[in-house]
PDB file of all heavy atoms in Angstrom:
ATOM      1  N   ARG A   1     -26.061   6.744   3.161  1.00 94.00           N
ATOM      2  CA  ARG A   1     -24.638   6.965   2.939  1.00 94.00           C
ATOM      3  C   ARG A   1     -24.110   8.038   3.896  1.00 94.00           C
ATOM      4  O   ARG A   1     -24.690   9.104   4.047  1.00 94.00           O
ATOM      5  CB  ARG A   1     -24.416   7.381   1.482  1.00 94.00           C
ATOM      6  CG  ARG A   1     -22.989   7.671   1.069  1.00 94.00           C
ATOM      7  CD  ARG A   1     -22.108   6.435   1.093  1.00 94.00           C
ATOM      8  NE  ARG A   1     -22.744   5.223   0.636  1.00 94.00           N
ATOM      9  CZ  ARG A   1     -22.898   4.874  -0.648  1.00 94.00           C
ATOM     10  NH1 ARG A   1     -22.440   5.660  -1.601  1.00 94.00           N
ATOM     11  NH2 ARG A   1     -23.484   3.733  -0.975  1.00 94.00           N
ATOM     12  N   LEU A   2     -22.973   7.738   4.553  1.00 95.00           N
ATOM     13  CA  LEU A   2     -22.359   8.694   5.471  1.00 95.00           C
ATOM     14  C   LEU A   2     -21.155   9.383   4.841  1.00 95.00           C
ATOM     15  O   LEU A   2     -21.016  10.600   4.921  1.00 95.00           O
ATOM     16  CB  LEU A   2     -21.930   7.980   6.760  1.00 95.00           C
ATOM     17  CG  LEU A   2     -23.050   7.388   7.615  1.00 95.00           C
ATOM     18  CD1 LEU A   2     -22.464   6.748   8.866  1.00 95.00           C
ATOM     19  CD2 LEU A   2     -24.074   8.446   7.994  1.00 95.00           C
ATOM     20  N   TYR A   3     -20.272   8.603   4.232  1.00 93.00           N
ATOM     21  CA  TYR A   3     -19.120   9.208   3.573  1.00 93.00           C
ATOM     22  C   TYR A   3     -18.475   8.189   2.645  1.00 93.00           C
ATOM     23  O   TYR A   3     -18.757   6.993   2.722  1.00 93.00           O
ATOM     24  CB  TYR A   3     -18.097   9.746   4.577  1.00 93.00           C
ATOM     25  CG  TYR A   3     -17.540   8.723   5.553  1.00 93.00           C
ATOM     26  CD1 TYR A   3     -16.436   7.942   5.228  1.00 93.00           C
ATOM     27  CD2 TYR A   3     -18.107   8.558   6.814  1.00 93.00           C
ATOM     28  CE1 TYR A   3     -15.916   7.022   6.123  1.00 93.00           C
ATOM     29  CE2 TYR A   3     -17.599   7.640   7.717  1.00 93.00           C
ATOM     30  CZ  TYR A   3     -16.502   6.873   7.361  1.00 93.00           C
ATOM     31  OH  TYR A   3     -15.997   5.955   8.259  1.00 93.00           O
ATOM     32  N   ASP A   4     -17.630   8.694   1.760  1.00 90.00           N
ATOM     33  CA  ASP A   4     -16.884   7.852   0.829  1.00 90.00           C
ATOM     34  C   ASP A   4     -15.400   7.948   1.140  1.00 90.00           C
ATOM     35  O   ASP A   4     -14.927   8.959   1.667  1.00 90.00           O
ATOM     36  CB  ASP A   4     -17.123   8.291  -0.623  1.00 90.00           C
ATOM     37  CG  ASP A   4     -18.563   8.089  -1.049  1.00 90.00           C
ATOM     38  OD1 ASP A   4     -19.170   7.094  -0.615  1.00 90.00           O
ATOM     39  OD2 ASP A   4     -19.079   8.926  -1.807  1.00 90.00           O
ATOM     40  N   GLY A   5     -14.681   6.916   0.798  1.00 85.00           N
ATOM     41  CA  GLY A   5     -13.237   6.917   1.022  1.00 85.00           C
ATOM     42  C   GLY A   5     -12.547   6.001   0.040  1.00 85.00           C
ATOM     43  O   GLY A   5     -13.143   5.526  -0.921  1.00 85.00           O
ATOM     44  N   GLU A   6     -11.289   5.740   0.308  1.00 88.00           N
ATOM     45  CA  GLU A   6     -10.520   4.838  -0.534  1.00 88.00           C
ATOM     46  C   GLU A   6      -9.511   4.085   0.323  1.00 88.00           C
ATOM     47  O   GLU A   6      -9.108   4.558   1.389  1.00 88.00           O
ATOM     48  CB  GLU A   6      -9.779   5.603  -1.634  1.00 88.00           C
ATOM     49  CG  GLU A   6      -8.732   6.570  -1.109  1.00 88.00           C
ATOM     50  CD  GLU A   6      -7.895   7.186  -2.211  1.00 88.00           C
ATOM     51  OE1 GLU A   6      -7.616   6.483  -3.205  1.00 88.00           O
ATOM     52  OE2 GLU A   6      -7.517   8.361  -2.074  1.00 88.00           O
ATOM     53  N   TYR A   7      -9.125   2.922  -0.159  1.00 92.00           N
ATOM     54  CA  TYR A   7      -8.100   2.133   0.514  1.00 92.00           C
ATOM     55  C   TYR A   7      -6.747   2.397  -0.140  1.00 92.00           C
ATOM     56  O   TYR A   7      -6.650   2.586  -1.363  1.00 92.00           O
ATOM     57  CB  TYR A   7      -8.425   0.642   0.440  1.00 92.00           C
ATOM     58  CG  TYR A   7      -9.377   0.185   1.514  1.00 92.00           C
ATOM     59  CD1 TYR A   7     -10.758   0.172   1.297  1.00 92.00           C
ATOM     60  CD2 TYR A   7      -8.898  -0.232   2.748  1.00 92.00           C
ATOM     61  CE1 TYR A   7     -11.627  -0.247   2.289  1.00 92.00           C
ATOM     62  CE2 TYR A   7      -9.765  -0.661   3.737  1.00 92.00           C
ATOM     63  CZ  TYR A   7     -11.128  -0.657   3.503  1.00 92.00           C
ATOM     64  OH  TYR A   7     -11.983  -1.066   4.496  1.00 92.00           O
ATOM     65  N   VAL A   8      -5.704   2.423   0.691  1.00 95.00           N
ATOM     66  CA  VAL A   8      -4.341   2.647   0.214  1.00 95.00           C
ATOM     67  C   VAL A   8      -3.416   1.619   0.845  1.00 95.00           C
ATOM     68  O   VAL A   8      -3.733   1.020   1.877  1.00 95.00           O
ATOM     69  CB  VAL A   8      -3.843   4.073   0.563  1.00 95.00           C
ATOM     70  CG1 VAL A   8      -4.623   5.123  -0.207  1.00 95.00           C
ATOM     71  CG2 VAL A   8      -3.927   4.322   2.066  1.00 95.00           C
ATOM     72  N   CYS A   9      -2.274   1.423   0.221  1.00 97.00           N
ATOM     73  CA  CYS A   9      -1.237   0.554   0.784  1.00 97.00           C
ATOM     74  C   CYS A   9      -0.443   1.360   1.802  1.00 97.00           C
ATOM     75  O   CYS A   9      -0.048   2.502   1.545  1.00 97.00           O
ATOM     76  CB  CYS A   9      -0.325   0.039  -0.316  1.00 97.00           C
ATOM     77  SG  CYS A   9       0.962  -1.084   0.278  1.00 97.00           S
ATOM     78  N   VAL A  10      -0.212   0.777   2.976  1.00 97.00           N
ATOM     79  CA  VAL A  10       0.459   1.472   4.071  1.00 97.00           C
ATOM     80  C   VAL A  10       1.681   0.681   4.503  1.00 97.00           C
ATOM     81  O   VAL A  10       1.631  -0.550   4.624  1.00 97.00           O
ATOM     82  CB  VAL A  10      -0.498   1.672   5.269  1.00 97.00           C
ATOM     83  CG1 VAL A  10       0.207   2.412   6.405  1.00 97.00           C
ATOM     84  CG2 VAL A  10      -1.745   2.435   4.829  1.00 97.00           C
ATOM     85  N   MET A  11       2.786   1.393   4.741  1.00 97.00           N
ATOM     86  CA  MET A  11       4.031   0.774   5.200  1.00 97.00           C
ATOM     87  C   MET A  11       4.769   1.768   6.090  1.00 97.00           C
ATOM     88  O   MET A  11       4.404   2.943   6.160  1.00 97.00           O
ATOM     89  CB  MET A  11       4.898   0.391   3.998  1.00 97.00           C
ATOM     90  CG  MET A  11       5.351   1.574   3.181  1.00 97.00           C
ATOM     91  SD  MET A  11       6.036   1.123   1.567  1.00 97.00           S
ATOM     92  CE  MET A  11       4.531   0.823   0.629  1.00 97.00           C
ATOM     93  N   ARG A  12       5.795   1.303   6.760  1.00 96.00           N
ATOM     94  CA  ARG A  12       6.562   2.181   7.636  1.00 96.00           C
ATOM     95  C   ARG A  12       7.483   3.065   6.820  1.00 96.00           C
ATOM     96  O   ARG A  12       7.867   2.738   5.694  1.00 96.00           O
ATOM     97  CB  ARG A  12       7.384   1.371   8.634  1.00 96.00           C
ATOM     98  CG  ARG A  12       8.496   0.549   8.008  1.00 96.00           C
ATOM     99  CD  ARG A  12       9.385  -0.083   9.059  1.00 96.00           C
ATOM    100  NE  ARG A  12      10.423  -0.908   8.443  1.00 96.00           N
ATOM    101  CZ  ARG A  12      11.578  -0.446   7.966  1.00 96.00           C
ATOM    102  NH1 ARG A  12      11.844   0.853   8.023  1.00 96.00           N
ATOM    103  NH2 ARG A  12      12.458  -1.276   7.431  1.00 96.00           N
ATOM    104  N   LYS A  13       7.845   4.211   7.382  1.00 95.00           N
ATOM    105  CA  LYS A  13       8.870   5.036   6.767  1.00 95.00           C
ATOM    106  C   LYS A  13      10.188   4.263   6.790  1.00 95.00           C
ATOM    107  O   LYS A  13      10.532   3.626   7.783  1.00 95.00           O
ATOM    108  CB  LYS A  13       9.022   6.361   7.509  1.00 95.00           C
ATOM    109  CG  LYS A  13       7.942   7.377   7.172  1.00 95.00           C
ATOM    110  CD  LYS A  13       8.268   8.748   7.725  1.00 95.00           C
ATOM    111  CE  LYS A  13       7.244   9.765   7.241  1.00 95.00           C
ATOM    112  NZ  LYS A  13       7.537  11.137   7.756  1.00 95.00           N
ATOM    113  N   GLY A  14      10.902   4.311   5.705  1.00 94.00           N
ATOM    114  CA  GLY A  14      12.148   3.563   5.611  1.00 94.00           C
ATOM    115  C   GLY A  14      11.970   2.166   5.058  1.00 94.00           C
ATOM    116  O   GLY A  14      12.948   1.430   4.899  1.00 94.00           O
ATOM    117  N   HIS A  15      10.719   1.775   4.782  1.00 96.00           N
ATOM    118  CA  HIS A  15      10.477   0.457   4.184  1.00 96.00           C
ATOM    119  C   HIS A  15      11.147   0.404   2.805  1.00 96.00           C
ATOM    120  O   HIS A  15      11.192   1.407   2.084  1.00 96.00           O
ATOM    121  CB  HIS A  15       8.969   0.227   4.055  1.00 96.00           C
ATOM    122  CG  HIS A  15       8.591  -1.173   3.693  1.00 96.00           C
ATOM    123  ND1 HIS A  15       8.752  -1.698   2.425  1.00 96.00           N
ATOM    124  CD2 HIS A  15       8.055  -2.171   4.441  1.00 96.00           C
ATOM    125  CE1 HIS A  15       8.328  -2.937   2.400  1.00 96.00           C
ATOM    126  NE2 HIS A  15       7.903  -3.261   3.619  1.00 96.00           N
ATOM    127  N   PRO A  16      11.668  -0.746   2.418  1.00 93.00           N
ATOM    128  CA  PRO A  16      12.309  -0.860   1.091  1.00 93.00           C
ATOM    129  C   PRO A  16      11.413  -0.432  -0.065  1.00 93.00           C
ATOM    130  O   PRO A  16      11.918  -0.017  -1.113  1.00 93.00           O
ATOM    131  CB  PRO A  16      12.662  -2.351   1.003  1.00 93.00           C
ATOM    132  CG  PRO A  16      12.819  -2.782   2.430  1.00 93.00           C
ATOM    133  CD  PRO A  16      11.818  -1.981   3.203  1.00 93.00           C
ATOM    134  N   LEU A  17      10.097  -0.517   0.094  1.00 95.00           N
ATOM    135  CA  LEU A  17       9.176  -0.137  -0.978  1.00 95.00           C
ATOM    136  C   LEU A  17       8.641   1.287  -0.820  1.00 95.00           C
ATOM    137  O   LEU A  17       7.787   1.716  -1.595  1.00 95.00           O
ATOM    138  CB  LEU A  17       7.997  -1.121  -1.033  1.00 95.00           C
ATOM    139  CG  LEU A  17       8.335  -2.577  -1.328  1.00 95.00           C
ATOM    140  CD1 LEU A  17       7.063  -3.424  -1.361  1.00 95.00           C
ATOM    141  CD2 LEU A  17       9.080  -2.698  -2.646  1.00 95.00           C
ATOM    142  N   ALA A  18       9.151   2.004   0.193  1.00 92.00           N
ATOM    143  CA  ALA A  18       8.632   3.348   0.456  1.00 92.00           C
ATOM    144  C   ALA A  18       9.100   4.368  -0.574  1.00 92.00           C
ATOM    145  O   ALA A  18       8.509   5.441  -0.704  1.00 92.00           O
ATOM    146  CB  ALA A  18       9.034   3.809   1.852  1.00 92.00           C
ATOM    147  N   SER A  19      10.137   4.061  -1.311  1.00 88.00           N
ATOM    148  CA  SER A  19      10.618   4.954  -2.362  1.00 88.00           C
ATOM    149  C   SER A  19      10.431   4.276  -3.712  1.00 88.00           C
ATOM    150  O   SER A  19      10.532   3.053  -3.826  1.00 88.00           O
ATOM    151  CB  SER A  19      12.094   5.296  -2.141  1.00 88.00           C
ATOM    152  OG  SER A  19      12.893   4.129  -2.159  1.00 88.00           O
ATOM    153  N   GLY A  20      10.144   5.064  -4.708  1.00 84.00           N
ATOM    154  CA  GLY A  20       9.914   4.509  -6.032  1.00 84.00           C
ATOM    155  C   GLY A  20       8.485   4.051  -6.196  1.00 84.00           C
ATOM    156  O   GLY A  20       7.719   3.951  -5.231  1.00 84.00           O
ATOM    157  N   PRO A  21       8.090   3.741  -7.407  1.00 88.00           N
ATOM    158  CA  PRO A  21       6.707   3.323  -7.672  1.00 88.00           C
ATOM    159  C   PRO A  21       6.402   1.953  -7.070  1.00 88.00           C
ATOM    160  O   PRO A  21       7.273   1.073  -7.046  1.00 88.00           O
ATOM    161  CB  PRO A  21       6.641   3.279  -9.198  1.00 88.00           C
ATOM    162  CG  PRO A  21       8.056   3.046  -9.630  1.00 88.00           C
ATOM    163  CD  PRO A  21       8.911   3.765  -8.630  1.00 88.00           C
ATOM    164  N   LEU A  22       5.186   1.793  -6.578  1.00 94.00           N
ATOM    165  CA  LEU A  22       4.751   0.503  -6.061  1.00 94.00           C
ATOM    166  C   LEU A  22       4.042  -0.228  -7.189  1.00 94.00           C
ATOM    167  O   LEU A  22       2.878   0.029  -7.484  1.00 94.00           O
ATOM    168  CB  LEU A  22       3.816   0.695  -4.865  1.00 94.00           C
ATOM    169  CG  LEU A  22       3.270  -0.592  -4.220  1.00 94.00           C
ATOM    170  CD1 LEU A  22       4.420  -1.429  -3.655  1.00 94.00           C
ATOM    171  CD2 LEU A  22       2.256  -0.262  -3.138  1.00 94.00           C
ATOM    172  N   THR A  23       4.744  -1.132  -7.822  1.00 96.00           N
ATOM    173  CA  THR A  23       4.162  -1.879  -8.938  1.00 96.00           C
ATOM    174  C   THR A  23       3.375  -3.076  -8.425  1.00 96.00           C
ATOM    175  O   THR A  23       3.497  -3.473  -7.256  1.00 96.00           O
ATOM    176  CB  THR A  23       5.265  -2.369  -9.883  1.00 96.00           C
ATOM    177  OG1 THR A  23       6.083  -3.320  -9.170  1.00 96.00           O
ATOM    178  CG2 THR A  23       6.124  -1.211 -10.371  1.00 96.00           C
ATOM    179  N   LEU A  24       2.592  -3.651  -9.308  1.00 97.00           N
ATOM    180  CA  LEU A  24       1.817  -4.833  -8.940  1.00 97.00           C
ATOM    181  C   LEU A  24       2.739  -5.983  -8.564  1.00 97.00           C
ATOM    182  O   LEU A  24       2.471  -6.714  -7.595  1.00 97.00           O
ATOM    183  CB  LEU A  24       0.900  -5.240 -10.100  1.00 97.00           C
ATOM    184  CG  LEU A  24      -0.001  -6.452  -9.866  1.00 97.00           C
ATOM    185  CD1 LEU A  24      -0.910  -6.233  -8.663  1.00 97.00           C
ATOM    186  CD2 LEU A  24      -0.834  -6.740 -11.119  1.00 97.00           C
ATOM    187  N   ASP A  25       3.838  -6.151  -9.292  1.00 96.00           N
ATOM    188  CA  ASP A  25       4.780  -7.223  -8.979  1.00 96.00           C
ATOM    189  C   ASP A  25       5.394  -7.036  -7.598  1.00 96.00           C
ATOM    190  O   ASP A  25       5.515  -7.996  -6.818  1.00 96.00           O
ATOM    191  CB  ASP A  25       5.890  -7.291 -10.032  1.00 96.00           C
ATOM    192  CG  ASP A  25       5.399  -7.873 -11.351  1.00 96.00           C
ATOM    193  OD1 ASP A  25       4.360  -8.565 -11.340  1.00 96.00           O
ATOM    194  OD2 ASP A  25       6.052  -7.625 -12.379  1.00 96.00           O
ATOM    195  N   ARG A  26       5.804  -5.816  -7.272  1.00 96.00           N
ATOM    196  CA  ARG A  26       6.418  -5.549  -5.964  1.00 96.00           C
ATOM    197  C   ARG A  26       5.394  -5.720  -4.849  1.00 96.00           C
ATOM    198  O   ARG A  26       5.718  -6.218  -3.769  1.00 96.00           O
ATOM    199  CB  ARG A  26       7.006  -4.137  -5.942  1.00 96.00           C
ATOM    200  CG  ARG A  26       8.110  -3.910  -6.948  1.00 96.00           C
ATOM    201  CD  ARG A  26       8.626  -2.487  -6.930  1.00 96.00           C
ATOM    202  NE  ARG A  26       9.577  -2.276  -5.844  1.00 96.00           N
ATOM    203  CZ  ARG A  26      10.098  -1.102  -5.534  1.00 96.00           C
ATOM    204  NH1 ARG A  26       9.739  -0.014  -6.222  1.00 96.00           N
ATOM    205  NH2 ARG A  26      10.964  -0.995  -4.542  1.00 96.00           N
ATOM    206  N   PHE A  27       4.166  -5.316  -5.119  1.00 97.00           N
ATOM    207  CA  PHE A  27       3.099  -5.470  -4.122  1.00 97.00           C
ATOM    208  C   PHE A  27       2.866  -6.944  -3.821  1.00 97.00           C
ATOM    209  O   PHE A  27       2.779  -7.344  -2.653  1.00 97.00           O
ATOM    210  CB  PHE A  27       1.821  -4.810  -4.641  1.00 97.00           C
ATOM    211  CG  PHE A  27       0.649  -4.888  -3.700  1.00 97.00           C
ATOM    212  CD1 PHE A  27       0.450  -3.907  -2.734  1.00 97.00           C
ATOM    213  CD2 PHE A  27      -0.271  -5.929  -3.775  1.00 97.00           C
ATOM    214  CE1 PHE A  27      -0.635  -3.977  -1.861  1.00 97.00           C
ATOM    215  CE2 PHE A  27      -1.354  -6.006  -2.913  1.00 97.00           C
ATOM    216  CZ  PHE A  27      -1.534  -5.024  -1.954  1.00 97.00           C
ATOM    217  N   CYS A  28       2.751  -7.755  -4.842  1.00 97.00           N
ATOM    218  CA  CYS A  28       2.447  -9.182  -4.645  1.00 97.00           C
ATOM    219  C   CYS A  28       3.621  -9.939  -4.028  1.00 97.00           C
ATOM    220  O   CYS A  28       3.419 -10.934  -3.316  1.00 97.00           O
ATOM    221  CB  CYS A  28       2.052  -9.823  -5.967  1.00 97.00           C
ATOM    222  SG  CYS A  28       0.461  -9.234  -6.619  1.00 97.00           S
ATOM    223  N   ALA A  29       4.835  -9.476  -4.272  1.00 96.00           N
ATOM    224  CA  ALA A  29       6.015 -10.171  -3.754  1.00 96.00           C
ATOM    225  C   ALA A  29       6.271  -9.860  -2.282  1.00 96.00           C
ATOM    226  O   ALA A  29       7.019 -10.585  -1.614  1.00 96.00           O
ATOM    227  CB  ALA A  29       7.245  -9.796  -4.586  1.00 96.00           C
ATOM    228  N   ALA A  30       5.644  -8.798  -1.755  1.00 97.00           N
ATOM    229  CA  ALA A  30       5.877  -8.390  -0.361  1.00 97.00           C
ATOM    230  C   ALA A  30       5.095  -9.277   0.608  1.00 97.00           C
ATOM    231  O   ALA A  30       4.226 -10.068   0.222  1.00 97.00           O
ATOM    232  CB  ALA A  30       5.471  -6.930  -0.188  1.00 97.00           C
ATOM    233  N   ARG A  31       5.433  -9.143   1.890  1.00 97.00           N
ATOM    234  CA  ARG A  31       4.721  -9.845   2.958  1.00 97.00           C
ATOM    235  C   ARG A  31       3.645  -8.899   3.502  1.00 97.00           C
ATOM    236  O   ARG A  31       3.905  -7.717   3.761  1.00 97.00           O
ATOM    237  CB  ARG A  31       5.691 -10.254   4.067  1.00 97.00           C
ATOM    238  CG  ARG A  31       6.645 -11.359   3.638  1.00 97.00           C
ATOM    239  CD  ARG A  31       7.882 -11.430   4.518  1.00 97.00           C
ATOM    240  NE  ARG A  31       7.550 -11.645   5.922  1.00 97.00           N
ATOM    241  CZ  ARG A  31       7.324 -12.839   6.492  1.00 97.00           C
ATOM    242  NH1 ARG A  31       7.398 -13.924   5.743  1.00 97.00           N
ATOM    243  NH2 ARG A  31       7.059 -12.941   7.777  1.00 97.00           N
ATOM    244  N   HIS A  32       2.438  -9.447   3.702  1.00 97.00           N
ATOM    245  CA  HIS A  32       1.287  -8.600   4.005  1.00 97.00           C
ATOM    246  C   HIS A  32       0.606  -8.963   5.322  1.00 97.00           C
ATOM    247  O   HIS A  32       0.657 -10.117   5.769  1.00 97.00           O
ATOM    248  CB  HIS A  32       0.237  -8.713   2.891  1.00 97.00           C
ATOM    249  CG  HIS A  32       0.651  -8.077   1.601  1.00 97.00           C
ATOM    250  ND1 HIS A  32       0.211  -6.837   1.201  1.00 97.00           N
ATOM    251  CD2 HIS A  32       1.485  -8.529   0.622  1.00 97.00           C
ATOM    252  CE1 HIS A  32       0.739  -6.547   0.028  1.00 97.00           C
ATOM    253  NE2 HIS A  32       1.516  -7.559  -0.352  1.00 97.00           N
TER     254      HIS A  32
END
């Protein structure tokens, strides 16, 4: 083992989902 980490959702600043909570519904409805 070298190190541990985690995956996160990444988007541009100013993205419509950049403010407010990122819910499962909003995540699935977005383009990826």
Side-chain angles (χ1 to χ4, degrees):
R1 179 67 38 81
L2 295 181
Y3 58 87
D4 295 324
E6 64 173 325
Y7 276 92
V8 293
C9 182
V10 181
M11 64 194 79
R12 67 173 178 83
K13 282 190 174 180
H15 191 286
L17 298 180
S19 60
L22 180 62
T23 65
L24 181 58
D25 287 339
R26 298 178 81 186
F27 181 88
C28 292
R31 290 160 58 85
H32 290 259

